Amino acid sequence: MPEVEDTSPPLLELRDLRKSYGDKIKTEVLHGINLSFGSGEFTAIIGPSGSGKSTLLNQIGLLDRPTSGSVLVQGKKTEDLSEEELTTLRGRTLGFIFQFHHLISALTVTENVLMPLWLSGLRDREVAEKAAKEALAHVGLEEKAHVRADELSGGQQQRVAIARALIHHPAIILADEPTGNLDSKTADSVFSLMRRFNAELGTTFLIVTHDPRMAERCDRVIRIEDGVVASDSWRPKGG
Ligand SMILES: Nc1ncnc2c1ncn2[C@@H]1O[C@H](COP(=O)(O)OP(=O)(O)OP(=O)(O)O)[C@@H](O)[C@H]1O
Ligand SMILES: [Mg+2]
């Protein structure tokens, strides 16, 4: 075998990704997306309503299967994986933050935060609670650990959602309008928190946003229009 130089695959790669919805009448929503994301990237995904941003994020998050094309995680084609392998990969590699945080209101903050650990099969309550405590300390909500989720403000709930996404130290966090339902001051603090995790832990972020101020503060901005990549640009370093 000839010696090869560094050919380590990108953290995440999309190859000619297509997605159609509908049974009898199929409508293609994503028309052949090619993108690649490296470790530690902090990227905004912008574009008009209905352009396919959430559909794209769902394919990347392995929440839904593409109609054709590939999603590769660390060079591995995910379409070849079984449901069980997909669940493991989702659990280990990906974290999710949504616009409406999807906390379970009747559970405490701690119980919500450690949910990904339960789902990934961890059964040691002590270990899980320690991890939850650490994650809550990261987002400044340690003192709310035993409060019911529905007793928190919107901004606090979104910080809990971030703690939950971070608890298993995923390589990639996918956020679909994470600050969409927050006032601008709270949105700023939630955004800063994601920025800090990106800097301190090297977590890769892909953030769908309608907020131009937020997109401006990302390192790379991808614009989706009518299911294609209309532009993909990097902000100058230090700018
Ligand atoms: N489950 C589904 N079944 C059928 N059509 C869908 C489904 N999900 C999305 N679509 C359609 O796909 C297109 C893209 O939707 P998508 O939710 O990805 O847009 P978006 O860019 O996230 O929009 P928004 O900014 O409003 O959230 C839309 O025309 C939508 O109606
Ligand atoms: Mg959307």
Short mmCIF file of all heavy atoms in Angstrom, two decimals, residues 44-88:
data_model
loop_
_atom_site.label_atom_id
_atom_site.label_comp_id
_atom_site.label_asym_id
_atom_site.label_seq_id
_atom_site.Cartn_x
_atom_site.Cartn_y
_atom_site.Cartn_z
N ALA A 44 -24.06 29.10 10.56
CA ALA A 44 -25.48 29.46 10.49
C ALA A 44 -26.07 28.93 9.20
O ALA A 44 -25.42 28.96 8.15
CB ALA A 44 -25.64 30.98 10.54
N ILE A 45 -27.30 28.43 9.26
CA ILE A 45 -28.04 28.06 8.06
C ILE A 45 -29.24 29.00 7.98
O ILE A 45 -30.07 29.04 8.90
CB ILE A 45 -28.49 26.59 8.12
CG1 ILE A 45 -27.25 25.69 8.19
CG2 ILE A 45 -29.34 26.23 6.90
CD1 ILE A 45 -27.54 24.22 8.36
N ILE A 46 -29.28 29.79 6.91
CA ILE A 46 -30.34 30.78 6.77
C ILE A 46 -31.11 30.52 5.47
O ILE A 46 -30.71 29.66 4.68
CB ILE A 46 -29.77 32.23 6.76
CG1 ILE A 46 -28.82 32.44 5.57
CG2 ILE A 46 -29.04 32.53 8.06
CD1 ILE A 46 -28.43 33.90 5.34
N GLY A 47 -32.19 31.27 5.27
CA GLY A 47 -32.98 31.10 4.04
C GLY A 47 -34.44 31.31 4.34
O GLY A 47 -34.88 31.23 5.49
N PRO A 48 -35.23 31.56 3.28
CA PRO A 48 -36.66 31.85 3.46
C PRO A 48 -37.43 30.68 4.09
O PRO A 48 -36.97 29.54 4.04
CB PRO A 48 -37.17 32.10 2.03
CG PRO A 48 -35.98 32.20 1.16
CD PRO A 48 -34.83 31.58 1.87
N SER A 49 -38.59 31.00 4.63
CA SER A 49 -39.48 29.99 5.18
C SER A 49 -39.86 29.01 4.07
O SER A 49 -40.19 29.41 2.96
CB SER A 49 -40.72 30.68 5.75
OG SER A 49 -41.57 29.72 6.29
N GLY A 50 -39.78 27.72 4.38
CA GLY A 50 -40.16 26.70 3.40
C GLY A 50 -39.04 26.32 2.44
O GLY A 50 -39.24 25.51 1.54
N SER A 51 -37.84 26.87 2.63
CA SER A 51 -36.74 26.61 1.68
C SER A 51 -36.09 25.24 1.92
O SER A 51 -35.37 24.75 1.05
CB SER A 51 -35.69 27.72 1.76
OG SER A 51 -35.21 27.86 3.07
N GLY A 52 -36.32 24.64 3.10
CA GLY A 52 -35.80 23.30 3.33
C GLY A 52 -34.78 23.19 4.46
O GLY A 52 -34.14 22.16 4.62
N LYS A 53 -34.66 24.23 5.28
CA LYS A 53 -33.65 24.25 6.34
C LYS A 53 -33.88 23.16 7.39
O LYS A 53 -32.96 22.43 7.75
CB LYS A 53 -33.61 25.62 7.02
CG LYS A 53 -33.40 26.78 6.07
CD LYS A 53 -33.39 28.11 6.79
CE LYS A 53 -34.70 28.46 7.51
NZ LYS A 53 -35.87 28.62 6.61
N SER A 54 -35.13 23.07 7.88
CA SER A 54 -35.41 22.06 8.90
C SER A 54 -35.31 20.65 8.32
O SER A 54 -34.81 19.72 8.98
CB SER A 54 -36.80 22.26 9.50
OG SER A 54 -36.86 23.49 10.19
N THR A 55 -35.77 20.50 7.08
CA THR A 55 -35.64 19.21 6.40
C THR A 55 -34.17 18.80 6.34
O THR A 55 -33.81 17.66 6.64
CB THR A 55 -36.23 19.30 4.98
OG1 THR A 55 -37.59 19.72 5.09
CG2 THR A 55 -36.16 17.97 4.26
N LEU A 56 -33.33 19.76 5.99
CA LEU A 56 -31.89 19.50 5.92
C LEU A 56 -31.34 19.08 7.28
O LEU A 56 -30.61 18.08 7.40
CB LEU A 56 -31.17 20.77 5.42
CG LEU A 56 -29.65 20.68 5.26
CD1 LEU A 56 -29.29 19.67 4.19
CD2 LEU A 56 -29.07 22.05 4.91
N LEU A 57 -31.73 19.81 8.32
CA LEU A 57 -31.23 19.50 9.66
C LEU A 57 -31.70 18.11 10.12
O LEU A 57 -30.96 17.38 10.77
CB LEU A 57 -31.71 20.58 10.64
CG LEU A 57 -30.69 21.00 11.70
CD1 LEU A 57 -29.46 21.59 11.04
CD2 LEU A 57 -31.28 21.98 12.69
N ASN A 58 -32.94 17.75 9.76
CA ASN A 58 -33.45 16.43 10.13
C ASN A 58 -32.68 15.30 9.46
O ASN A 58 -32.49 14.23 10.05
CB ASN A 58 -34.93 16.31 9.79
CG ASN A 58 -35.80 17.14 10.72
OD1 ASN A 58 -35.36 17.55 11.78
ND2 ASN A 58 -37.03 17.39 10.31
N GLN A 59 -32.23 15.54 8.22
CA GLN A 59 -31.43 14.51 7.53
C GLN A 59 -30.05 14.42 8.20
O GLN A 59 -29.54 13.33 8.43
CB GLN A 59 -31.22 14.83 6.04
CG GLN A 59 -32.45 15.25 5.28
CD GLN A 59 -33.57 14.24 5.31
OE1 GLN A 59 -33.34 13.08 5.04
NE2 GLN A 59 -34.76 14.68 5.68
N ILE A 60 -29.46 15.59 8.49
CA ILE A 60 -28.14 15.61 9.12
C ILE A 60 -28.21 14.94 10.49
O ILE A 60 -27.30 14.22 10.88
CB ILE A 60 -27.61 17.06 9.26
CG1 ILE A 60 -27.38 17.68 7.87
CG2 ILE A 60 -26.33 17.10 10.08
CD1 ILE A 60 -27.00 19.16 7.91
N GLY A 61 -29.31 15.18 11.20
CA GLY A 61 -29.46 14.63 12.54
C GLY A 61 -29.88 13.18 12.56
O GLY A 61 -30.12 12.60 13.61
N LEU A 62 -30.01 12.57 11.37
CA LEU A 62 -30.38 11.16 11.24
C LEU A 62 -31.74 10.89 11.88
O LEU A 62 -32.01 9.79 12.36
CB LEU A 62 -29.31 10.25 11.86
CG LEU A 62 -27.86 10.55 11.45
CD1 LEU A 62 -26.89 9.65 12.21
CD2 LEU A 62 -27.66 10.38 9.95
N LEU A 63 -32.60 11.93 11.88
CA LEU A 63 -33.94 11.77 12.41
C LEU A 63 -34.87 11.26 11.31
O LEU A 63 -35.97 10.82 11.56
CB LEU A 63 -34.46 13.12 12.93
CG LEU A 63 -33.67 13.71 14.09
CD1 LEU A 63 -34.11 15.13 14.40
CD2 LEU A 63 -33.80 12.83 15.34
N ASP A 64 -34.40 11.38 10.08
CA ASP A 64 -35.21 11.02 8.92
C ASP A 64 -34.22 10.57 7.84
O ASP A 64 -33.08 11.03 7.82
CB ASP A 64 -35.97 12.28 8.47
CG ASP A 64 -37.05 11.97 7.46
OD1 ASP A 64 -37.37 10.79 7.26
OD2 ASP A 64 -37.57 12.93 6.86
N ARG A 65 -34.65 9.65 6.98
CA ARG A 65 -33.73 9.16 5.95
C ARG A 65 -33.91 9.94 4.65
O ARG A 65 -35.04 10.19 4.25
CB ARG A 65 -33.96 7.68 5.69
CG ARG A 65 -33.62 6.81 6.90
CD ARG A 65 -33.18 5.44 6.44
NE ARG A 65 -32.97 4.54 7.56
CZ ARG A 65 -31.82 3.87 7.74
NH1 ARG A 65 -30.82 4.01 6.90
NH2 ARG A 65 -31.70 3.05 8.76
N PRO A 66 -32.81 10.29 3.98
CA PRO A 66 -32.94 10.98 2.70
C PRO A 66 -33.53 10.06 1.64
O PRO A 66 -33.48 8.83 1.76
CB PRO A 66 -31.50 11.35 2.34
CG PRO A 66 -30.63 10.49 3.17
CD PRO A 66 -31.41 10.10 4.38
N THR A 67 -34.12 10.65 0.59
CA THR A 67 -34.66 9.88 -0.52
C THR A 67 -33.52 9.29 -1.34
O THR A 67 -33.57 8.14 -1.79
CB THR A 67 -35.56 10.77 -1.39
OG1 THR A 67 -36.54 11.37 -0.54
CG2 THR A 67 -36.24 9.98 -2.48
N SER A 68 -32.47 10.07 -1.54
CA SER A 68 -31.24 9.54 -2.14
C SER A 68 -30.07 10.40 -1.71
O SER A 68 -30.26 11.45 -1.11
CB SER A 68 -31.35 9.50 -3.67
OG SER A 68 -31.37 10.81 -4.18
N GLY A 69 -28.87 9.91 -2.00
CA GLY A 69 -27.67 10.62 -1.55
C GLY A 69 -27.24 10.13 -0.19
O GLY A 69 -27.85 9.22 0.37
N SER A 70 -26.17 10.72 0.32
CA SER A 70 -25.56 10.21 1.55
C SER A 70 -25.32 11.28 2.59
O SER A 70 -25.00 12.42 2.27
CB SER A 70 -24.19 9.60 1.24
OG SER A 70 -24.32 8.47 0.45
N VAL A 71 -25.46 10.85 3.84
CA VAL A 71 -24.95 11.61 4.97
C VAL A 71 -23.82 10.78 5.56
O VAL A 71 -24.03 9.63 5.94
CB VAL A 71 -26.03 11.81 6.07
CG1 VAL A 71 -25.46 12.58 7.25
CG2 VAL A 71 -27.25 12.51 5.50
N LEU A 72 -22.60 11.35 5.57
CA LEU A 72 -21.46 10.63 6.12
C LEU A 72 -21.04 11.27 7.42
O LEU A 72 -20.89 12.49 7.50
CB LEU A 72 -20.28 10.65 5.15
CG LEU A 72 -20.49 9.89 3.84
CD1 LEU A 72 -20.98 10.82 2.75
CD2 LEU A 72 -19.18 9.23 3.41
N VAL A 73 -20.89 10.47 8.46
CA VAL A 73 -20.39 10.96 9.73
C VAL A 73 -19.02 10.32 9.93
O VAL A 73 -18.90 9.10 9.92
CB VAL A 73 -21.33 10.62 10.90
CG1 VAL A 73 -20.74 11.08 12.23
CG2 VAL A 73 -22.69 11.27 10.69
N GLN A 74 -18.01 11.18 10.04
CA GLN A 74 -16.62 10.71 10.14
C GLN A 74 -16.31 9.68 9.06
O GLN A 74 -15.68 8.65 9.31
CB GLN A 74 -16.33 10.16 11.55
CG GLN A 74 -16.21 11.29 12.55
CD GLN A 74 -16.53 10.91 13.98
OE1 GLN A 74 -17.19 9.89 14.22
NE2 GLN A 74 -16.10 11.71 14.92
N GLY A 75 -16.78 9.98 7.87
CA GLY A 75 -16.48 9.16 6.71
C GLY A 75 -17.34 7.92 6.55
O GLY A 75 -17.24 7.20 5.57
N LYS A 76 -18.22 7.71 7.53
CA LYS A 76 -19.05 6.50 7.48
C LYS A 76 -20.42 6.81 6.87
O LYS A 76 -21.12 7.70 7.34
CB LYS A 76 -19.23 5.96 8.91
CG LYS A 76 -19.67 4.50 8.94
CD LYS A 76 -19.83 4.01 10.35
CE LYS A 76 -18.56 3.35 10.89
NZ LYS A 76 -18.74 2.85 12.26
N LYS A 77 -20.78 6.07 5.82
CA LYS A 77 -22.08 6.28 5.18
C LYS A 77 -23.20 5.82 6.09
O LYS A 77 -23.29 4.64 6.42
CB LYS A 77 -22.14 5.49 3.87
CG LYS A 77 -21.45 6.17 2.72
CD LYS A 77 -21.83 5.53 1.41
CE LYS A 77 -21.13 6.26 0.27
NZ LYS A 77 -21.25 5.57 -1.01
N THR A 78 -24.06 6.74 6.49
CA THR A 78 -25.07 6.36 7.48
C THR A 78 -26.22 5.57 6.87
O THR A 78 -26.96 4.91 7.59
CB THR A 78 -25.63 7.61 8.19
OG1 THR A 78 -26.14 8.51 7.21
CG2 THR A 78 -24.56 8.30 8.99
N GLU A 79 -26.37 5.60 5.53
CA GLU A 79 -27.49 4.84 4.95
C GLU A 79 -27.26 3.33 5.05
O GLU A 79 -28.19 2.55 4.92
CB GLU A 79 -27.79 5.26 3.50
CG GLU A 79 -26.77 4.81 2.48
CD GLU A 79 -25.80 5.92 2.11
OE1 GLU A 79 -25.54 6.78 2.99
OE2 GLU A 79 -25.32 5.94 0.97
N ASP A 80 -26.01 2.94 5.30
CA ASP A 80 -25.71 1.51 5.45
C ASP A 80 -25.97 1.00 6.87
O ASP A 80 -25.87 -0.20 7.12
CB ASP A 80 -24.24 1.23 5.09
CG ASP A 80 -23.92 1.60 3.65
OD1 ASP A 80 -24.88 1.67 2.84
OD2 ASP A 80 -22.75 1.81 3.33
N LEU A 81 -26.26 1.92 7.79
CA LEU A 81 -26.39 1.50 9.18
C LEU A 81 -27.80 1.00 9.49
O LEU A 81 -28.78 1.47 8.91
CB LEU A 81 -26.06 2.67 10.11
CG LEU A 81 -24.67 3.31 9.96
CD1 LEU A 81 -24.51 4.48 10.93
CD2 LEU A 81 -23.58 2.27 10.20
N SER A 82 -27.87 0.07 10.43
CA SER A 82 -29.17 -0.41 10.89
C SER A 82 -29.79 0.64 11.80
O SER A 82 -29.10 1.55 12.26
CB SER A 82 -28.99 -1.71 11.67
OG SER A 82 -28.27 -1.43 12.86
N GLU A 83 -31.09 0.50 12.10
CA GLU A 83 -31.75 1.43 13.01
C GLU A 83 -31.01 1.49 14.35
O GLU A 83 -30.87 2.55 14.94
CB GLU A 83 -33.22 1.03 13.24
CG GLU A 83 -34.17 1.41 12.12
CD GLU A 83 -34.17 2.90 11.77
OE1 GLU A 83 -34.04 3.74 12.69
OE2 GLU A 83 -34.29 3.22 10.57
N GLU A 84 -30.56 0.32 14.79
CA GLU A 84 -29.89 0.26 16.08
C GLU A 84 -28.57 1.04 16.05
O GLU A 84 -28.26 1.80 16.96
CB GLU A 84 -29.64 -1.21 16.43
CG GLU A 84 -29.39 -1.44 17.89
CD GLU A 84 -29.03 -2.89 18.18
OE1 GLU A 84 -29.32 -3.76 17.33
OE2 GLU A 84 -28.44 -3.14 19.24
N GLU A 85 -27.81 0.85 14.95
CA GLU A 85 -26.54 1.58 14.82
C GLU A 85 -26.78 3.08 14.69
O GLU A 85 -26.01 3.89 15.22
CB GLU A 85 -25.77 1.07 13.59
CG GLU A 85 -25.20 -0.33 13.79
CD GLU A 85 -24.64 -0.92 12.50
OE1 GLU A 85 -25.31 -0.81 11.44
OE2 GLU A 85 -23.54 -1.49 12.54
N LEU A 86 -27.87 3.45 14.00
CA LEU A 86 -28.22 4.87 13.87
C LEU A 86 -28.52 5.47 15.23
O LEU A 86 -28.09 6.58 15.53
CB LEU A 86 -29.45 5.04 12.97
CG LEU A 86 -29.25 5.01 11.47
CD1 LEU A 86 -30.59 5.21 10.76
CD2 LEU A 86 -28.28 6.09 11.02
N THR A 87 -29.27 4.74 16.04
CA THR A 87 -29.62 5.23 17.37
C THR A 87 -28.36 5.46 18.20
O THR A 87 -28.23 6.47 18.88
CB THR A 87 -30.55 4.23 18.09
OG1 THR A 87 -31.68 4.02 17.23
CG2 THR A 87 -31.02 4.75 19.42
N THR A 88 -27.43 4.52 18.11
CA THR A 88 -26.19 4.66 18.86
C THR A 88 -25.41 5.89 18.38
O THR A 88 -24.94 6.70 19.18
CB THR A 88 -25.31 3.40 18.67
OG1 THR A 88 -26.10 2.28 19.04
CG2 THR A 88 -24.06 3.46 19.52
#
